[in-house]
Amino acid sequence: MGYIDIVKNEYIKEILHKGIRDDGRKFMQYRSIQASVGTIPNAEGSAEVDIGNTKVLAGIKIDVDTPMPDKPEEGNLIVSAELLPLASPDYDIGPPSPAAIELARVVDRGIRAANILDTQSLFIEKDKVWSVFIDIYVLNYDGNLFDASTLSAVAALLHTRQPKYEEEKVIREGTLPKLKTNGMVTSCTFGKINGNILLDPDGSEESIMDTRLTIANDENNNIKAMQKGLHGTFSIKEVESMIDTTFEKSKDLRSVLSSLEN
Amino acid sequence: MFKLEGNKPQLIIDGKRTDGRGFDELRPIKIEANILKNANGSAYIEWGNNKILAAVYGPKEALPKHTADPTMAIIKSRYTMAPFSSLEEHGRSGPNRRATEISKVTSEVFENIIMREMFPGTEIDIFIEVLQSDGGTRAAGITVASVALAAAGIPMYDLPYAVSAGKIGDQMVLDLNKIEDNYSDADIPMAISPRNGDILLLQMDGSITKEDFSTAYSMVKKAGATISKIQKDALKAPYEKIIEKYR
């Protein structure tokens, strides 16, 4: 960390005590959110999501695969995330970092728990099922990858075409039905800095926050996944209040999802 | 390269190619500079159905230390294809052997063109991410990386571009797309320094004659005028908006 960062971090902490965020937002306010689907026509599904300067692209491919031994009549869902070195000076080349693995697993849990994908409908015949690969590509990092990634993954899933399997061949082009999905899941992520809780922390806020909490919920306000991160703690009151905020703010996220057109 | 024998599709019908282009016609190219906030310079290109992002970080301290050159900057390029980038099955993430080779030849293009001796002991990273592929990604990648480097303010002797030529039957053609690439008789990607026409990258596989090669080079050279203009316009565009605002 350079001296400028140290000064900036102190400044961010100081003004938070006066109730001010560096970019002028309220504590429980998202940055502007932009989403579009069908960015990569070659992929079966794709979506690009911007939350402020954070930019995430999710791409979906569907292949014929063998089922998991313990679930012989269900298709597979495989979520992975890449923190591409072009997205930030702090990201390095190499195998997925623990941060990338955590990100993919939290997104995976939300989608799985909410049953967005009906894995039983992905069964083809004995020993043959569809595998749905969701790849989350972080293109520019400025905090809150969890919400941007879940949003892009779900947006892409809702606009994915289902390939056909005919005479041992996968047909990916032409008129294809939509992939079967049920409902939606979105997540809200909070950061805690010196006791102040902020929705949608940006990159500089993330670099100094003590604790992080991600809450994923569906349209009926059932909580579908939670993940606490970093060394700090939350009180039960704080968590309850964040759950309420999540229920409130997820309406906006769902309206982003339902307004998308391919 | 793997070539399918037998039921080869007809790539040229009535003097037109599968996508309706003439023999020396480029696919539509669009470039936008500086679209990523964190990178020192970046650019995005849509070249036909190819969609590619390039970002430049540096010059910065060369790490690990033993890779540093005390007399000049080292260039580290990394070309990768997204697992969802092709119309075929899900790919493997990260660089494979093909991507490693492309990264190497891309680095060598820019080693020639960047004023490396201005930044001893440093490295300049060039990341090329292919988000969607449709043939000719290495050429499009070099073309967009040039723009990203210029946008990063890296001093260069020239603004190189790249495009491939190829042979379909007896006909030499410019800028092969995916189907043409799969079934053509030769594929010749080239990167050119426009100031003197020097060849910075040259690869080829298939079968061509010496005359074919000369034809390929003049097609690539001629296309350079168009590509260079698109590159320069992309670099000017952000500033022209500012000029427009205060006019």
Side-chain angles (χ1 to χ4, degrees):
Chain A
M1 193 163 38
Y3 289 111
I4 291 176
D5 292 332
I6 294 171
V7 172
K8 191 179 177 196
N9 291 347
E10 282 311 310
Y11 169 75
I12 292 173
K13 284 182 192 169
E14 204 180 296
I15 59 171
L16 277 179
H17 281 305
K18 299 174 190 158
I20 303 166
R21 284 173 90 167
D22 190 26
D23 59 4
R25 275 186 292 158
K26 299 197 179 77
F27 280 16
M28 291 301 148
Q29 189 185 347
Y30 265 103
R31 290 167 287 175
S32 78
I33 300 177
Q34 247 115 47
S36 60
V37 288
T39 332
I40 307 296
N42 273 1
E44 271 76 71
S46 58
E48 190 180 326
V49 168
D50 290 22
I51 301 185
N53 284 333
T54 285
K55 189 187 270 299
V56 172
L57 172 67
I60 299 182
K61 291 300 287 183
I62 303 183
D63 287 345
V64 174
D65 213 341
T66 48
M68 298 287 168
D70 56 333
K71 287 173 183 166
E73 297 193 345
E74 280 184 38
N76 305 313
L77 169 67
I78 298 107
V79 183
S80 24
E82 295 245 10
L83 307 179
L84 299 178
L86 62 58
S88 161
D90 300 328
Y91 291 168
D92 293 321
I93 295 165
S97 61
I101 291 169
E102 183 190 30
L103 174 63
R105 289 180 60 85
V106 172
V107 174
D108 179 293
R109 282 214 291 278
I111 291 170
R112 233 177 256 279
N115 269 322
I116 304 280
L117 205 58
D118 176 10
T119 48
Q120 285 174 353
S121 74
L122 298 172
F123 177 76
I124 303 170
E125 57 188 53
K126 191 176 182 304
D127 292 336
K128 276 206 182 88
V129 296
W130 293 108
S131 277
V132 177
F133 294 89
I134 306 180
D135 286 281
I136 292 161
Y137 253 46
V138 177
L139 301 179
N140 198 71
Y141 168 78
D142 190 20
N144 199 3
L145 293 178
F146 286 93
D147 298 356
S149 300
T150 299
L151 202 58
S152 65
V154 175
L157 272 176
L158 297 181
H159 296 273
T160 293
R161 51 181 192 267
Q162 168 72 59
K164 286 185 210 161
Y165 187 68
E166 283 170 6
E167 294 164 1
E168 315 246 313
K169 265 192 185 158
V170 181
I171 296 162
R172 296 175 193 276
E173 287 170 280
T175 349
L176 293 169
K178 263 189 161 185
L179 176 71
K180 266 189 206 150
T181 57
N182 318 301
M184 289 178 186
V185 68
T186 57
S187 75
C188 290
T189 295
F190 302 84
K192 186 173 170 183
I193 301 170
N194 277 1
N196 297 302
I197 294 179
L198 311 170
L199 177 65
D200 180 31
D202 67 17
S204 43
E205 288 167 345
E206 283 201 347
S207 72
I208 50 169
M209 67 190 182
D210 318 303
T211 325
R212 186 192 70 228
L213 182 68
T214 301
I215 304 170
N217 63 315
D218 68 6
E219 61 271 36
N220 301 320
N221 280 347
N222 299 309
I223 299 170
K224 291 296 179 183
M226 293 176 96
Q227 179 88 342
K228 189 222 154 227
L230 308 180
H231 63 268
T233 59
F234 286 117
S235 70
I236 178 67
K237 277 236 158 62
E238 286 171 334
V239 175
E240 282 167 354
S241 139
M242 283 183 276
I243 291 173
D244 289 338
T245 309
T246 300
F247 290 166
E248 185 59 35
K249 296 291 173 183
S250 63
K251 288 179 203 159
D252 301 339
L253 298 173
R254 283 195 299 274
S255 70
V256 169
L257 284 175
S258 46
S259 68
L260 292 170
E261 274 173 41
N262 217 343
Chain B
M1 195 184 300
F2 177 69
K3 290 270 193 304
L4 287 174
E5 298 294 331
N7 48 2
K8 186 167 148 178
Q10 204 177 346
L11 295 175
I12 298 176
I13 301 167
D14 297 336
K16 291 275 178 202
R17 295 155 71 178
T18 49
D19 49 7
R21 279 185 291 154
F23 300 136
D24 62 350
E25 201 177 322
L26 285 165
R27 287 173 281 178
I29 301 172
K30 272 192 285 184
I31 303 178
E32 207 178 319
N34 274 341
I35 72 157
L36 298 177
K37 294 284 187 304
N38 287 337
N40 297 112
S42 64
Y44 171 68
I45 191 168
E46 289 190 1
W47 182 315
N49 289 329
N50 290 313
K51 294 170 191 277
I52 303 171
L53 259 177
V56 171
Y57 285 90
K60 57 185 195 180
E61 186 186 9
L63 291 172
K65 276 240 159 70
H66 69 86
T67 61
D69 181 334
T71 64
M72 62 177 81
I74 54 169
I75 310 298
K76 290 183 182 168
S77 301
R78 184 179 185 263
Y79 163 104
T80 43
M81 284 176 90
F84 47 79
S85 63
S86 80
L87 257 178
E88 286 101 52
E89 71 275 18
H90 181 251
R92 220 191 61 190
S93 66
N96 52 19
R97 290 172 63 87
R98 170 183 172 274
T100 305
E101 184 202 338
I102 294 175
S103 303
K104 180 173 180 290
V105 293
T106 303
S107 292
E108 287 160 356
V109 167
F110 292 111
E111 277 168 10
N112 182 282
I113 220 78
I114 293 172
M115 299 181 184
R116 297 198 291 149
E117 52 294 331
M118 289 178 70
F119 310 105
T122 67
E123 69 177 60
I124 297 170
D125 294 343
I126 304 170
F127 299 113
I128 300 171
E129 287 291 339
V130 179
L131 303 176
Q132 174 158 290
S133 63
D134 187 34
T137 54
R138 79 190 66 188
I142 289 168
T143 303
V144 70
S146 267
V147 177
L149 281 161
I154 308 277
M156 293 189 282
Y157 294 107
D158 203 353
L159 194 65
Y161 70 91
V163 62
S164 73
K167 190 177 184 181
I168 299 174
D170 293 330
Q171 182 62 49
M172 294 306 290
V173 295
L174 182 72
D175 186 18
L176 301 178
N177 64 25
K178 183 72 195 272
I179 300 176
E180 292 174 331
D181 191 15
N182 285 353
Y183 296 100
S184 67
D185 299 275
D187 174 25
I188 318 156
M190 277 186 243
I192 305 288
S193 185
R195 73 193 151 139
N196 52 15
D198 279 359
I199 297 172
L200 299 167
L201 169 126
L202 172 61
Q203 295 181 296
M204 123 89 201
D205 72 340
S207 168
I208 55 168
T209 64
K210 191 181 162 200
E211 288 71 34
D212 289 340
F213 180 74
S214 307
T215 314
Y217 177 76
S218 50
M219 280 179 156
V220 166
K221 194 76 209 306
K222 195 170 143 247
T226 314
I227 303 171
S228 292
K229 180 165 189 308
I230 297 168
Q231 288 176 307
K232 286 173 193 163
D233 287 350
L235 286 164
K236 281 184 206 157
Y239 302 99
E240 269 162 3
K241 266 185 212 152
I242 298 170
I243 293 169
E244 213 42 52
K245 199 173 152 190
Y246 293 103
R247 188 159 277 164

